[in-house]
Amino acid sequence: MEEKNTQSRKFWSGLVTGLLLAILIMGTAFLVKQLSVIRAMKQSGKDVSEADQLVNSFTTTKMGVLEDTIRQYYLEEVDQATLENGVYEGIVDSLKDPYSVYYSTEALEEINQKTEGIYYGIGAYITRDPQSDYCMISGVIANTPAQEAGLQQDDVIYKIDGEDVIGLETSELVTKIKGEEGTIVHMTIVRRATNETLEFDVERRKIESPTVESSMEEDGIGYIQITEFDDVTEDQFAEALAVCKESGMKGLILDLRSNPGGNLNTVCEICRMLLPKGLIVYTEDKYGKRDEYSCEGDRQLEVPLVVLVNGYSASASEILAGAVKDYGIGTIMGTTTFGKGIVQRIISLSDGSAVKLTVSKYYTPKGNNIHGIGIEPDIMVEFDAEKYNEEDFDNQLEAAKEELRKQMGN
């Protein structure tokens, strides 16, 4: 399997490089137009010489000659819209930043649907697999097609509808998985626990993401799980927290495991329901401009808190966990988080498309940037996947309950 993947990576890497070159050549006119839009958005006000610009008289002339050559000799017909999008995608890809992405109008609509918490898909959370050039399933929503089909956390996504998806960004893969309600997506996965290659036909349905789930234990332990930070998450969390308090909550487990992050404003609003007065997080861009997000402290949590995290807890999840750790108002348990300490911004362009760019770094209240490092838990507890799959026993959650009982004096 490893040899096959290596050969496949080399083949597709060479193929994609060649395609991007062709796309760059064919899309000259569109490139000039789009970059003019981007340049108009610059705020520096400084004059840039023609030699410092990607689009100048030399490059446009050369690309025009190459375009004419390809139109005369290239064997296949070329779809102009695909080439146009490929030009913009190639420019952003040249940044070598996995979090910077060009969105066509259609892709932007799908992203907006996702952040609203409603979309048409299979009900699985997708993230990059840190061990390969593939994406993987980081979580499965209950009572969705993904769960019904038998997909599991840690399944590596190998093919979609028979197409090898090596090297695809998360957003690109999600686009392939989503589709019209009632249609079928065929998925080939590698189950890491058994090293099996498995095939699944999964029906796409309307998914209303339950980003927050909660329950109460008999001994006064409240449990709230946040699966991602969407627009709907703030109200869902506020309701779950209120229900736990009204039920006599004496301690809270906040489960952020496999939460890939999401909306910065949403996580800050949730932090304001938990943290004392002070800084939640601050960001700094390349010009040194600092933006601070603070909390009034008028809704600080008054009971013991345990926060569960793992290697798939990223971005906004780490903002929350980092603030809890810096203020010392809770115990972080599980395994080291993903380590995404940078912030992206979606910038809309005049034709309805957009570009998502990494624009700043974020820092915890004590000034720690955890990018590439992650947040170390106060108490390390490795997840026992075999016991969970065979006995439905969550050893990390049980350890969190035991720790909370100690803090509650039970």
Side-chain angles (χ1 to χ4, degrees):
M1 182 69 180
E2 291 181 359
E3 182 178 351
K4 179 180 179 181
N5 285 344
T6 300
Q7 293 174 345
S8 178
R9 280 196 294 271
K10 290 180 179 178
F11 170 77
W12 286 106
S13 177
L15 180 60
V16 169
T17 300
L19 286 173
L20 284 177
L21 179 59
I23 289 169
L24 180 61
I25 294 167
M26 296 293 290
T28 303
F30 301 97
L31 175 64
V32 174
K33 176 184 175 182
Q34 194 71 1
L35 287 181
S36 296
V37 175
I38 296 173
R39 286 202 302 275
M41 300 174 64
K42 291 184 178 179
Q43 301 176 356
S44 65
K46 296 181 180 179
D47 293 331
V48 181
S49 67
E50 186 181 50
D52 293 330
Q53 297 180 13
L54 174 61
V55 180
N56 55 44
S57 58
F58 174 78
T59 56
T60 53
T61 300
K62 182 173 181 178
M63 286 194 293
V65 171
L66 290 173
E67 179 182 0
D68 291 340
T69 302
I70 287 178
R71 290 197 180 280
Q72 183 175 355
Y73 295 108
Y74 184 60
L75 178 63
E76 305 292 342
E77 291 296 323
V78 180
D79 178 76
Q80 196 68 32
T82 300
L83 294 181
E84 180 183 350
N85 286 331
V87 171
Y88 313 141
E89 291 168 359
I91 292 172
V92 179
D93 287 346
S94 70
L95 300 175
K96 304 300 181 184
D97 176 11
Y99 305 109
S100 291
V101 183
Y102 168 77
Y103 295 125
S104 65
T105 304
E106 295 75 19
L108 184 61
E109 289 176 359
E110 292 183 2
I111 290 296
N112 289 335
Q113 286 180 358
K114 184 177 186 299
T115 58
E116 290 171 0
I118 300 173
Y119 61 93
Y120 294 92
I122 64 172
Y125 299 109
I126 309 298
T127 190
R128 294 291 299 175
D129 175 20
Q131 300 180 28
S132 71
D133 289 333
Y134 290 91
C135 291
M136 65 182 297
I137 295 173
S138 60
V140 176
I141 300 173
N143 303 315
T144 62
Q147 185 188 58
E148 295 166 5
L151 292 169
Q152 297 180 8
Q153 179 177 314
D154 290 342
D155 283 349
V156 178
I157 302 172
Y158 180 39
K159 293 182 180 180
I160 296 295
D161 291 328
E163 178 187 350
D164 194 317
V165 292
I166 187 169
L168 284 189
E169 300 298 336
T170 304
S171 59
E172 295 175 296
L173 182 63
V174 169
T175 298
K176 289 183 177 295
I177 293 175
K178 290 181 179 180
E180 293 185 9
E181 187 174 16
T183 59
I184 301 296
V185 58
H186 184 78
M187 301 178 66
T188 306
I189 66 98
V190 176
R191 181 147 293 165
R192 179 160 288 150
T194 59
N195 203 31
E196 295 178 278
T197 300
L198 304 174
E199 308 283 337
F200 295 90
D201 285 316
V202 190
E203 181 184 6
R204 300 178 176 102
R205 294 206 300 259
K206 183 178 181 180
I207 306 295
E208 297 186 14
S209 298
T211 62
V212 176
E213 294 185 6
S214 63
S215 62
M216 280 292 298
E217 299 288 321
E218 292 181 357
D219 51 4
I221 293 179
Y223 172 81
I224 300 178
Q225 179 188 41
I226 305 176
T227 53
E228 60 185 11
F229 294 94
D230 294 335
D231 292 345
V232 298
T233 308
E234 179 187 343
D235 289 341
Q236 291 179 4
F237 179 81
E239 181 180 354
L241 185 61
V243 169
C244 287
K245 288 180 176 179
E246 291 169 3
S247 302
M249 179 178 67
K250 298 177 182 178
L252 174 64
I253 295 173
L254 182 58
D255 192 346
L256 301 179
R257 290 176 297 176
S258 300
N259 182 322
N263 191 302
L264 175 60
N265 289 327
T266 298
V267 71
C268 286
E269 287 301 325
I270 289 174
C271 284
R272 293 182 179 111
M273 303 180 205
L274 302 170
L275 298 179
K277 183 176 182 178
L279 199 60
I280 298 171
V281 65
Y282 67 90
T283 65
E284 286 187 358
D285 64 16
K286 66 179 181 180
Y287 303 107
K289 182 178 179 295
R290 174 166 165 161
D291 290 322
E292 296 185 351
Y293 300 80
S294 299
C295 176
E296 292 298 322
D298 52 355
R299 292 181 286 172
Q300 181 179 350
L301 189 68
E302 301 293 343
V303 298
L305 171 67
V306 170
V307 180
L308 278 172
V309 295
N310 63 10
Y312 305 123
S313 304
S315 192
S317 297
E318 295 173 295
I319 288 176
L320 201 165
V324 167
K325 186 168 185 175
D326 279 7
Y327 282 110
I329 65 165
T331 303
I332 312 297
M333 293 185 65
T335 54
T336 304
T337 61
F338 184 83
K340 182 176 180 287
I342 49 179
V343 179
Q344 285 70 46
R345 176 186 171 194
I346 295 180
I347 302 169
S348 297
L349 305 180
S350 61
D351 64 350
S353 62
V355 60
K356 181 175 73 173
L357 295 177
T358 298
V359 296
S360 58
K361 297 178 180 179
Y362 79 74
Y363 298 83
T364 68
K366 288 187 176 181
N368 298 316
N369 177 257
I370 51 83
H371 192 65
I373 301 171
I375 297 172
E376 291 284 344
D378 300 308
I379 301 176
M380 183 74 72
V381 182
E382 295 286 346
F383 181 63
D384 190 337
E386 183 176 349
K387 198 165 188 178
Y388 180 80
N389 291 328
E390 292 180 357
E391 304 176 23
D392 197 27
F393 181 82
D394 188 337
N395 69 300
Q396 289 180 323
L397 179 57
E398 293 305 317
K401 291 178 182 178
E402 186 61 31
E403 173 62 27
L404 203 53
R405 291 188 186 100
K406 291 179 183 177
Q407 296 185 22
M408 293 162 50
N410 291 356

